[in-house]
Amino acid sequence: MKKLYIKTHGCQMNFYDSDRMTDLLKPLGYELHDNGDEADLIVINTCHIREKAVEKTYSELGRIRDQALLRKENTGKKTIIVVAGCVAQAEGKEIMRRSPWVDIVVGPQSFQNLPELIAKVDPIEKNKLINIDFPIIPKFDDLKSDISERGPSSFLTIQEGCDKFCSFCVVPYTRGSEYSRPVKSIVDEAKKLIDAGAKEITLLGQNVNAWSASGSDHKVWGLGRLINELAKIKELKFIRYMTSHPLDMDTELIEAHRDIEKLMPFLHLPVQSGSDNILKLMNRKHKVKDYLKIIEKVRKYIPKIAISGDFIIGFPGETDKDHQETIELIKEIEFSQAYSFKYSIRPGTPAAVFLDQVDEKAKNIRLQEVQNILKEQQFEFNQKSINSNIKVLVLKNGKKDNQYLGRSPYNQSVFFNNDKENLIGSIVNIQVSEAYQNSISGHIA
Ligand code: 5AD
Ligand code: SF4
């Protein structure tokens, strides 16, 4: 067997793609390893969403070159180096210029071609290959390889790309326009994932709730209807989805939360800002009151649902007043958890050339304020779980002896101790006794 090392940056969709690359390379004799020192093939699956993520790619590539050189010196063997993902898509030629030791650059829509690309790499001729097409045949049709062992919780990409063009975001350029996978290919893959050990599936998409395709009744289905279909698979116990867009939050999906027990009471719904002025500049096409209305409706249907979100702090033109409006929105919603990021200029996006960029100091102060409130809200949410009895999917062993880590329906990390052999993959009832910032703990009830 040859050794494969994959380093994944960025979102869950990249983690899904990395798993599929692993499956795809297995028939070529590549077996996954947990470090690159002796790897025959190193893939770095990259993220382009913020500048920091891109810098990470280039510094990682420096480390990988040293690893490959050392291996060559010690064993005489060449390591093939592949850059995949969104940096590959956006900066293919730049990667080859800045890091000429890279052999293959492959975009997120064309990694199904990796086996052929690898076969073409000529270690002596130094044949460099860039494949960043958006092929007409979607990659999923070509990804027929078997799915190898997964943990109890798996990702399944059902939708890719974005047509929304928020003015700060690179996704429409790196992942292309919105594409929904057909129902049959999703259901087939869900069954394969279950055969490979999955009890929980998280449906993924840049705009997952924009998913839409023709169903078995020849009607157009939305995400709610698809979840209904997947819930019929007996061995599938928990269903989640992310990331959603407020404009695509339809009643059918909200009803699915109310009616389908397997659909977890957790909604990740980015709002980005609490100021209508900023939302307009962001080209979000919704207002603050639209977001509030959706959350109100969701909570009417599922009172205990956990709400999560994303915020961009210091978007060009953001004033103190806009920032205060974001704080007010956060206080009004009470998030169970949420992500907040400093605005990062992305070359090629409309906001990159907006003139009134916010200075770094103000961004830092505002980010700190937002994060402090979000942290408090998360801690309060976790504290409310104390004394409750919740169903938990056991994901893996914790760091301490006899400790297990699982996930609650509300997407909280749950720790508990048990000396029984291997509970991984089982569903246990946990009586919660302690709450922390990022997790809760208890014992099997
Ligand atoms: N700067 C900062 N954060 C960004 N995001 C997307 N683009 C940028 C950017 N240019 C954030 C958004 C999105 C999340 C995945 O990343 O909040 O929802
Ligand atoms: Fe980016 Fe906006 Fe599309 Fe989300 S909806 S992927 S933030 S452009």
Side-chain angles (χ1 to χ4, degrees):
M1 291 303 270
K2 289 177 272 188
K3 289 182 181 161
L4 163 68
Y5 174 63
I6 303 192
K7 178 77 199 218
T8 309
H9 300 162
C11 67
Q12 285 91 344
M13 303 201 43
N14 268 6
F15 282 85
Y16 170 86
D17 285 349
S18 292
D19 281 347
R20 295 313 312 260
M21 284 187 239
T22 309
D23 293 338
L24 194 69
L25 294 169
K26 208 171 171 191
L28 272 71
Y30 286 101
E31 197 170 62
L32 198 60
H33 273 250
D34 59 5
N35 74 73
D37 291 341
E38 294 162 28
D40 297 282
L41 176 62
I42 298 182
V43 178
I44 135 163
N45 196 1
T46 60
C47 172
H48 199 250
I49 198 92
R50 282 170 291 275
E51 195 183 357
K52 255 198 190 149
V54 180
E55 281 164 12
K56 217 164 143 186
T57 298
Y58 288 105
S59 58
E60 186 109 41
L61 279 173
R63 272 198 301 278
I64 288 173
R65 177 196 51 189
D66 296 344
Q67 256 174 341
L69 280 175
L70 195 68
R71 178 170 182 253
K72 181 98 197 218
E73 240 172 65
N74 291 341
T75 65
K77 288 184 190 162
K78 175 181 166 59
T79 304
I80 299 176
I81 300 170
V82 179
V83 181
C86 293
V87 181
Q89 188 64 45
E91 304 190 6
K93 286 206 178 108
E94 177 71 1
I95 293 170
M96 288 301 194
R97 192 186 65 76
R98 276 178 69 173
S99 312
W101 53 93
V102 170
D103 297 290
I104 297 170
V105 169
V106 68
Q109 309 305 328
S110 39
F111 68 76
Q112 69 278 13
N113 302 323
L114 260 183
E116 290 108 81
L117 294 171
I118 289 168
K120 278 190 206 155
V121 169
D122 178 345
I124 300 157
E125 297 274 332
K126 294 227 169 297
N127 206 357
K128 303 283 174 199
L129 299 159
I130 302 187
N131 187 331
I132 49 174
D133 301 340
F134 283 125
I136 299 159
I137 305 172
K139 71 176 177 198
F140 300 106
D141 291 355
D142 284 351
L143 282 173
K144 295 244 164 58
S145 48
D146 283 339
I147 287 178
S148 45
E149 192 56 27
R150 298 281 203 272
S153 177
S154 270
F155 294 132
L156 200 178
T157 294
I158 63 165
Q159 183 279 334
E160 280 220 48
C162 180
D163 296 337
K164 304 246 179 348
F165 290 92
C166 297
S167 60
F168 51 81
C169 186
V170 290
V171 165
Y173 312 96
T174 54
R175 292 266 175 172
S177 57
E178 282 178 11
Y179 166 77
S180 293
R181 280 177 80 175
V183 174
K184 187 175 178 316
S185 106
I186 296 169
V187 173
D188 287 351
E189 189 168 319
K191 287 179 179 161
K192 280 192 193 173
L193 289 169
I194 290 161
D195 288 344
K199 298 271 170 48
E200 169 178 272
I201 290 181
T202 302
L203 306 172
L204 298 180
Q206 259 97 28
N207 268 296
V208 73
N209 59 341
W211 178 88
S212 161
S214 170
S216 50
D217 53 5
H218 305 291
K219 290 192 180 143
V220 178
W221 287 9
L223 181 60
R225 181 67 187 81
L226 176 71
I227 290 171
N228 243 296
E229 192 67 17
L230 291 169
K232 290 180 191 160
I233 307 175
K234 206 174 134 240
E235 301 84 353
L236 177 59
K237 304 295 181 196
F238 297 121
I239 303 173
R240 300 175 187 272
Y241 61 93
M242 69 180 356
T243 290
S244 297
H245 193 287
L247 291 181
D248 296 310
M249 217 46 227
D250 64 13
T251 304
E252 194 177 33
L253 180 56
I254 302 174
E255 284 173 351
H257 270 290
R258 182 194 58 195
D259 301 336
I260 303 172
E261 211 189 320
K262 290 181 179 182
L263 180 58
M264 294 296 102
F266 175 78
L267 173 64
H268 180 69
L269 194 66
V271 57
Q272 313 296 0
S273 171
S275 151
D276 281 341
N277 291 338
I278 296 299
L279 289 176
K280 189 148 192 262
L281 291 169
M282 286 177 164
N283 192 31
R284 288 288 291 180
K285 300 189 185 88
H286 63 80
K287 295 199 163 145
V288 173
K289 74 169 186 326
D290 303 320
Y291 187 82
L292 288 169
K293 257 195 205 154
I294 295 167
I295 301 299
E296 193 189 347
K297 181 165 173 181
V298 167
R299 283 184 164 149
K300 204 170 105 199
Y301 280 57
I302 319 105
K304 283 170 79 180
I305 196 164
I307 305 291
S308 162
D310 289 347
F311 290 91
I312 295 183
I313 308 303
F315 185 81
E318 187 189 75
T319 62
D320 272 336
K321 182 168 171 284
D322 296 317
H323 171 64
Q324 282 316 316
E325 287 175 5
T326 298
I327 303 270
E328 276 161 33
L329 175 69
I330 295 174
K331 287 185 176 160
E332 180 148 2
I333 299 283
E334 296 187 7
F335 290 91
S336 70
Q337 61 174 88
Y339 303 95
S340 49
F341 313 98
K342 267 194 289 183
Y343 169 70
S344 165
I345 295 179
R346 307 313 297 122
T349 59
V353 292
F354 288 2
L355 294 176
D356 37 5
Q357 299 288 335
V358 175
D359 76 65
E360 208 50 29
K361 204 172 144 211
K363 275 194 208 172
N364 283 331
I365 294 170
R366 289 178 191 170
L367 182 73
Q368 198 58 54
E369 196 182 347
V370 164
Q371 290 190 337
N372 286 345
I373 300 172
L374 289 171
K375 265 187 178 170
E376 258 171 48
Q377 293 190 345
Q378 184 176 11
F379 185 50
E380 274 166 26
F381 184 87
N382 288 343
Q383 274 184 319
K384 282 188 197 143
S385 304
I386 294 180
N387 292 330
S388 66
N389 190 309
I390 50 177
K391 245 200 290 185
V392 170
L393 175 64
V394 186
L395 298 174
K396 55 184 181 183
N397 288 114
K399 286 195 181 119
K400 299 180 189 155
D401 280 352
N402 298 332
Q403 191 186 46
Y404 286 99
L405 171 64
R407 189 181 295 131
S408 83
Y410 308 101
N411 211 33
Q412 298 150 294
S413 295
V414 185
F415 289 95
F416 65 94
N417 283 330
N418 201 281
D419 50 15
K420 257 201 209 146
E421 282 298 294
N422 207 2
L423 284 173
I424 295 168
S426 33
I427 295 162
V428 293
N429 278 314
I430 295 293
Q431 179 72 25
V432 181
S433 51
E434 311 274 348
Y436 312 95
Q437 178 61 53
N438 296 311
S439 62
I440 52 180
S441 69
H443 57 272
I444 295 185

PDB file of all heavy atoms in Angstrom, residues 268-291:
ATOM      1  N   HIS A 268     -28.571  26.378  11.978  1.00  0.00           N
ATOM      2  CA  HIS A 268     -27.474  27.324  11.746  1.00  0.00           C
ATOM      3  C   HIS A 268     -27.910  28.259  10.621  1.00  0.00           C
ATOM      4  O   HIS A 268     -28.000  27.848   9.467  1.00  0.00           O
ATOM      5  CB  HIS A 268     -26.200  26.568  11.366  1.00  0.00           C
ATOM      6  CG  HIS A 268     -25.035  27.481  11.117  1.00  0.00           C
ATOM      7  ND1 HIS A 268     -24.433  28.190  12.125  1.00  0.00           N
ATOM      8  CD2 HIS A 268     -24.392  27.829   9.990  1.00  0.00           C
ATOM      9  CE1 HIS A 268     -23.459  28.925  11.621  1.00  0.00           C
ATOM     10  NE2 HIS A 268     -23.414  28.737  10.319  1.00  0.00           N
ATOM     11  N   LEU A 269     -28.231  29.490  11.008  1.00  0.00           N
ATOM     12  CA  LEU A 269     -28.787  30.434  10.026  1.00  0.00           C
ATOM     13  C   LEU A 269     -28.027  31.762  10.098  1.00  0.00           C
ATOM     14  O   LEU A 269     -28.375  32.653  10.883  1.00  0.00           O
ATOM     15  CB  LEU A 269     -30.283  30.642  10.315  1.00  0.00           C
ATOM     16  CG  LEU A 269     -31.084  31.327   9.219  1.00  0.00           C
ATOM     17  CD1 LEU A 269     -31.161  30.469   7.960  1.00  0.00           C
ATOM     18  CD2 LEU A 269     -32.509  31.638   9.688  1.00  0.00           C
ATOM     19  N   PRO A 270     -26.984  31.895   9.264  1.00  0.00           N
ATOM     20  CA  PRO A 270     -26.189  33.127   9.310  1.00  0.00           C
ATOM     21  C   PRO A 270     -27.020  34.362   8.991  1.00  0.00           C
ATOM     22  O   PRO A 270     -27.873  34.321   8.109  1.00  0.00           O
ATOM     23  CB  PRO A 270     -25.135  32.903   8.219  1.00  0.00           C
ATOM     24  CG  PRO A 270     -25.011  31.431   8.118  1.00  0.00           C
ATOM     25  CD  PRO A 270     -26.401  30.911   8.354  1.00  0.00           C
ATOM     26  N   VAL A 271     -26.762  35.446   9.750  1.00  0.00           N
ATOM     27  CA  VAL A 271     -27.443  36.716   9.458  1.00  0.00           C
ATOM     28  C   VAL A 271     -26.427  37.769   9.023  1.00  0.00           C
ATOM     29  O   VAL A 271     -26.737  38.666   8.275  1.00  0.00           O
ATOM     30  CB  VAL A 271     -28.317  37.178  10.647  1.00  0.00           C
ATOM     31  CG1 VAL A 271     -27.508  37.313  11.924  1.00  0.00           C
ATOM     32  CG2 VAL A 271     -29.041  38.471  10.344  1.00  0.00           C
ATOM     33  N   GLN A 272     -25.199  37.635   9.506  1.00  0.00           N
ATOM     34  CA  GLN A 272     -24.027  38.450   9.147  1.00  0.00           C
ATOM     35  C   GLN A 272     -23.989  39.826   9.812  1.00  0.00           C
ATOM     36  O   GLN A 272     -22.927  40.277  10.213  1.00  0.00           O
ATOM     37  CB  GLN A 272     -23.857  38.630   7.616  1.00  0.00           C
ATOM     38  CG  GLN A 272     -23.987  37.363   6.787  1.00  0.00           C
ATOM     39  CD  GLN A 272     -22.936  36.287   7.046  1.00  0.00           C
ATOM     40  OE1 GLN A 272     -22.060  36.477   7.881  1.00  0.00           O
ATOM     41  NE2 GLN A 272     -23.037  35.153   6.387  1.00  0.00           N
ATOM     42  N   SER A 273     -25.133  40.513   9.928  1.00  0.00           N
ATOM     43  CA  SER A 273     -25.134  41.828  10.584  1.00  0.00           C
ATOM     44  C   SER A 273     -26.527  42.118  11.116  1.00  0.00           C
ATOM     45  O   SER A 273     -27.517  41.587  10.604  1.00  0.00           O
ATOM     46  CB  SER A 273     -24.731  42.907   9.579  1.00  0.00           C
ATOM     47  OG  SER A 273     -24.930  44.199  10.152  1.00  0.00           O
ATOM     48  N   GLY A 274     -26.581  43.003  12.135  1.00  0.00           N
ATOM     49  CA  GLY A 274     -27.871  43.406  12.693  1.00  0.00           C
ATOM     50  C   GLY A 274     -28.302  44.770  12.183  1.00  0.00           C
ATOM     51  O   GLY A 274     -29.246  45.365  12.718  1.00  0.00           O
ATOM     52  N   SER A 275     -27.612  45.285  11.157  1.00  0.00           N
ATOM     53  CA  SER A 275     -27.932  46.609  10.624  1.00  0.00           C
ATOM     54  C   SER A 275     -28.441  46.492   9.189  1.00  0.00           C
ATOM     55  O   SER A 275     -27.772  45.890   8.336  1.00  0.00           O
ATOM     56  CB  SER A 275     -26.670  47.488  10.661  1.00  0.00           C
ATOM     57  OG  SER A 275     -26.718  48.449   9.622  1.00  0.00           O
ATOM     58  N   ASP A 276     -29.605  47.074   8.938  1.00  0.00           N
ATOM     59  CA  ASP A 276     -30.149  47.028   7.574  1.00  0.00           C
ATOM     60  C   ASP A 276     -29.234  47.721   6.571  1.00  0.00           C
ATOM     61  O   ASP A 276     -29.124  47.290   5.427  1.00  0.00           O
ATOM     62  CB  ASP A 276     -31.544  47.676   7.540  1.00  0.00           C
ATOM     63  CG  ASP A 276     -32.604  46.711   8.064  1.00  0.00           C
ATOM     64  OD1 ASP A 276     -32.336  45.493   8.104  1.00  0.00           O
ATOM     65  OD2 ASP A 276     -33.704  47.179   8.448  1.00  0.00           O
ATOM     66  N   ASN A 277     -28.582  48.821   7.022  1.00  0.00           N
ATOM     67  CA  ASN A 277     -27.662  49.518   6.107  1.00  0.00           C
ATOM     68  C   ASN A 277     -26.554  48.575   5.645  1.00  0.00           C
ATOM     69  O   ASN A 277     -26.217  48.519   4.467  1.00  0.00           O
ATOM     70  CB  ASN A 277     -26.989  50.715   6.803  1.00  0.00           C
ATOM     71  CG  ASN A 277     -27.996  51.810   7.064  1.00  0.00           C
ATOM     72  OD1 ASN A 277     -29.038  51.864   6.397  1.00  0.00           O
ATOM     73  ND2 ASN A 277     -27.708  52.658   8.038  1.00  0.00           N
ATOM     74  N   ILE A 278     -26.001  47.858   6.610  1.00  0.00           N
ATOM     75  CA  ILE A 278     -24.881  46.957   6.272  1.00  0.00           C
ATOM     76  C   ILE A 278     -25.386  45.768   5.459  1.00  0.00           C
ATOM     77  O   ILE A 278     -24.751  45.357   4.485  1.00  0.00           O
ATOM     78  CB  ILE A 278     -24.148  46.504   7.563  1.00  0.00           C
ATOM     79  CG1 ILE A 278     -23.520  47.720   8.253  1.00  0.00           C
ATOM     80  CG2 ILE A 278     -23.090  45.449   7.281  1.00  0.00           C
ATOM     81  CD1 ILE A 278     -22.476  48.473   7.417  1.00  0.00           C
ATOM     82  N   LEU A 279     -26.553  45.231   5.825  1.00  0.00           N
ATOM     83  CA  LEU A 279     -27.092  44.091   5.061  1.00  0.00           C
ATOM     84  C   LEU A 279     -27.263  44.480   3.595  1.00  0.00           C
ATOM     85  O   LEU A 279     -27.029  43.676   2.691  1.00  0.00           O
ATOM     86  CB  LEU A 279     -28.426  43.619   5.652  1.00  0.00           C
ATOM     87  CG  LEU A 279     -28.326  42.906   7.009  1.00  0.00           C
ATOM     88  CD1 LEU A 279     -29.723  42.572   7.534  1.00  0.00           C
ATOM     89  CD2 LEU A 279     -27.506  41.615   6.891  1.00  0.00           C
ATOM     90  N   LYS A 280     -27.677  45.737   3.383  1.00  0.00           N
ATOM     91  CA  LYS A 280     -27.869  46.213   2.012  1.00  0.00           C
ATOM     92  C   LYS A 280     -26.516  46.258   1.281  1.00  0.00           C
ATOM     93  O   LYS A 280     -26.383  45.754   0.165  1.00  0.00           O
ATOM     94  CB  LYS A 280     -28.516  47.602   2.051  1.00  0.00           C
ATOM     95  CG  LYS A 280     -28.960  48.097   0.716  1.00  0.00           C
ATOM     96  CD  LYS A 280     -30.197  48.991   0.840  1.00  0.00           C
ATOM     97  CE  LYS A 280     -30.790  49.225  -0.542  1.00  0.00           C
ATOM     98  NZ  LYS A 280     -30.397  50.482  -1.131  1.00  0.00           N
ATOM     99  N   LEU A 281     -25.513  46.830   1.965  1.00  0.00           N
ATOM    100  CA  LEU A 281     -24.178  46.891   1.352  1.00  0.00           C
ATOM    101  C   LEU A 281     -23.604  45.489   1.119  1.00  0.00           C
ATOM    102  O   LEU A 281     -22.834  45.255   0.190  1.00  0.00           O
ATOM    103  CB  LEU A 281     -23.218  47.687   2.252  1.00  0.00           C
ATOM    104  CG  LEU A 281     -23.488  49.194   2.370  1.00  0.00           C
ATOM    105  CD1 LEU A 281     -22.650  49.798   3.490  1.00  0.00           C
ATOM    106  CD2 LEU A 281     -23.177  49.897   1.046  1.00  0.00           C
ATOM    107  N   MET A 282     -24.013  44.565   1.985  1.00  0.00           N
ATOM    108  CA  MET A 282     -23.546  43.170   1.838  1.00  0.00           C
ATOM    109  C   MET A 282     -24.287  42.436   0.721  1.00  0.00           C
ATOM    110  O   MET A 282     -23.963  41.295   0.419  1.00  0.00           O
ATOM    111  CB  MET A 282     -23.775  42.398   3.151  1.00  0.00           C
ATOM    112  CG  MET A 282     -22.820  42.730   4.269  1.00  0.00           C
ATOM    113  SD  MET A 282     -23.306  41.791   5.753  1.00  0.00           S
ATOM    114  CE  MET A 282     -21.810  41.951   6.737  1.00  0.00           C
ATOM    115  N   ASN A 283     -25.311  43.073   0.169  1.00  0.00           N
ATOM    116  CA  ASN A 283     -26.157  42.449  -0.861  1.00  0.00           C
ATOM    117  C   ASN A 283     -26.835  41.184  -0.342  1.00  0.00           C
ATOM    118  O   ASN A 283     -26.932  40.172  -1.042  1.00  0.00           O
ATOM    119  CB  ASN A 283     -25.308  42.127  -2.109  1.00  0.00           C
ATOM    120  CG  ASN A 283     -26.185  41.748  -3.299  1.00  0.00           C
ATOM    121  OD1 ASN A 283     -27.309  42.237  -3.430  1.00  0.00           O
ATOM    122  ND2 ASN A 283     -25.684  40.874  -4.161  1.00  0.00           N
ATOM    123  N   ARG A 284     -27.302  41.241   0.923  1.00  0.00           N
ATOM    124  CA  ARG A 284     -27.905  40.049   1.523  1.00  0.00           C
ATOM    125  C   ARG A 284     -29.352  39.824   1.076  1.00  0.00           C
ATOM    126  O   ARG A 284     -29.906  38.757   1.266  1.00  0.00           O
ATOM    127  CB  ARG A 284     -27.863  40.150   3.052  1.00  0.00           C
ATOM    128  CG  ARG A 284     -26.487  39.977   3.635  1.00  0.00           C
ATOM    129  CD  ARG A 284     -26.019  38.566   3.542  1.00  0.00           C
ATOM    130  NE  ARG A 284     -26.757  37.662   4.409  1.00  0.00           N
ATOM    131  CZ  ARG A 284     -26.514  36.365   4.483  1.00  0.00           C
ATOM    132  NH1 ARG A 284     -25.576  35.804   3.751  1.00  0.00           N
ATOM    133  NH2 ARG A 284     -27.222  35.588   5.289  1.00  0.00           N
ATOM    134  N   LYS A 285     -29.987  40.861   0.604  1.00  0.00           N
ATOM    135  CA  LYS A 285     -31.373  40.767   0.095  1.00  0.00           C
ATOM    136  C   LYS A 285     -32.407  40.388   1.162  1.00  0.00           C
ATOM    137  O   LYS A 285     -33.486  39.914   0.853  1.00  0.00           O
ATOM    138  CB  LYS A 285     -31.463  39.798  -1.090  1.00  0.00           C
ATOM    139  CG  LYS A 285     -30.584  40.210  -2.266  1.00  0.00           C
ATOM    140  CD  LYS A 285     -30.875  39.360  -3.492  1.00  0.00           C
ATOM    141  CE  LYS A 285     -29.937  39.663  -4.628  1.00  0.00           C
ATOM    142  NZ  LYS A 285     -28.693  38.891  -4.611  1.00  0.00           N
ATOM    143  N   HIS A 286     -32.030  40.535   2.434  1.00  0.00           N
ATOM    144  CA  HIS A 286     -33.023  40.425   3.505  1.00  0.00           C
ATOM    145  C   HIS A 286     -32.727  41.502   4.526  1.00  0.00           C
ATOM    146  O   HIS A 286     -31.600  41.998   4.614  1.00  0.00           O
ATOM    147  CB  HIS A 286     -33.017  39.042   4.161  1.00  0.00           C
ATOM    148  CG  HIS A 286     -31.720  38.696   4.854  1.00  0.00           C
ATOM    149  ND1 HIS A 286     -31.410  39.165   6.103  1.00  0.00           N
ATOM    150  CD2 HIS A 286     -30.656  37.961   4.457  1.00  0.00           C
ATOM    151  CE1 HIS A 286     -30.227  38.712   6.460  1.00  0.00           C
ATOM    152  NE2 HIS A 286     -29.727  37.989   5.472  1.00  0.00           N
ATOM    153  N   LYS A 287     -33.752  41.832   5.304  1.00  0.00           N
ATOM    154  CA  LYS A 287     -33.558  42.836   6.357  1.00  0.00           C
ATOM    155  C   LYS A 287     -33.536  42.151   7.718  1.00  0.00           C
ATOM    156  O   LYS A 287     -33.861  40.961   7.834  1.00  0.00           O
ATOM    157  CB  LYS A 287     -34.712  43.841   6.302  1.00  0.00           C
ATOM    158  CG  LYS A 287     -34.699  44.629   4.999  1.00  0.00           C
ATOM    159  CD  LYS A 287     -35.506  45.896   5.142  1.00  0.00           C
ATOM    160  CE  LYS A 287     -35.114  46.800   3.994  1.00  0.00           C
ATOM    161  NZ  LYS A 287     -36.152  47.589   3.468  1.00  0.00           N
ATOM    162  N   VAL A 288     -33.190  42.933   8.736  1.00  0.00           N
ATOM    163  CA  VAL A 288     -33.135  42.381  10.091  1.00  0.00           C
ATOM    164  C   VAL A 288     -34.500  41.828  10.484  1.00  0.00           C
ATOM    165  O   VAL A 288     -34.610  40.733  11.048  1.00  0.00           O
ATOM    166  CB  VAL A 288     -32.680  43.467  11.096  1.00  0.00           C
ATOM    167  CG1 VAL A 288     -32.777  42.964  12.520  1.00  0.00           C
ATOM    168  CG2 VAL A 288     -31.260  43.909  10.777  1.00  0.00           C
ATOM    169  N   LYS A 289     -35.558  42.561  10.148  1.00  0.00           N
ATOM    170  CA  LYS A 289     -36.896  42.106  10.583  1.00  0.00           C
ATOM    171  C   LYS A 289     -37.295  40.795   9.884  1.00  0.00           C
ATOM    172  O   LYS A 289     -38.010  39.987  10.460  1.00  0.00           O
ATOM    173  CB  LYS A 289     -37.949  43.203  10.400  1.00  0.00           C
ATOM    174  CG  LYS A 289     -38.413  43.493   8.998  1.00  0.00           C
ATOM    175  CD  LYS A 289     -39.652  44.401   9.069  1.00  0.00           C
ATOM    176  CE  LYS A 289     -40.329  44.668   7.749  1.00  0.00           C
ATOM    177  NZ  LYS A 289     -39.574  44.772   6.529  1.00  0.00           N
ATOM    178  N   ASP A 290     -36.797  40.561   8.678  1.00  0.00           N
ATOM    179  CA  ASP A 290     -37.070  39.272   8.006  1.00  0.00           C
ATOM    180  C   ASP A 290     -36.449  38.135   8.808  1.00  0.00           C
ATOM    181  O   ASP A 290     -37.057  37.083   9.011  1.00  0.00           O
ATOM    182  CB  ASP A 290     -36.482  39.249   6.583  1.00  0.00           C
ATOM    183  CG  ASP A 290     -37.017  40.384   5.727  1.00  0.00           C
ATOM    184  OD1 ASP A 290     -38.221  40.676   5.839  1.00  0.00           O
ATOM    185  OD2 ASP A 290     -36.233  40.989   4.964  1.00  0.00           O
ATOM    186  N   TYR A 291     -35.221  38.368   9.264  1.00  0.00           N
ATOM    187  CA  TYR A 291     -34.519  37.345  10.044  1.00  0.00           C
ATOM    188  C   TYR A 291     -35.271  37.078  11.352  1.00  0.00           C
ATOM    189  O   TYR A 291     -35.518  35.928  11.727  1.00  0.00           O
ATOM    190  CB  TYR A 291     -33.080  37.791  10.318  1.00  0.00           C
ATOM    191  CG  TYR A 291     -32.228  36.727  10.961  1.00  0.00           C
ATOM    192  CD1 TYR A 291     -31.622  35.728  10.211  1.00  0.00           C
ATOM    193  CD2 TYR A 291     -32.035  36.705  12.347  1.00  0.00           C
ATOM    194  CE1 TYR A 291     -30.846  34.743  10.800  1.00  0.00           C
ATOM    195  CE2 TYR A 291     -31.260  35.725  12.954  1.00  0.00           C
ATOM    196  CZ  TYR A 291     -30.664  34.743  12.171  1.00  0.00           C
ATOM    197  OH  TYR A 291     -29.897  33.769  12.776  1.00  0.00           O
TER     198      TYR A 291
END
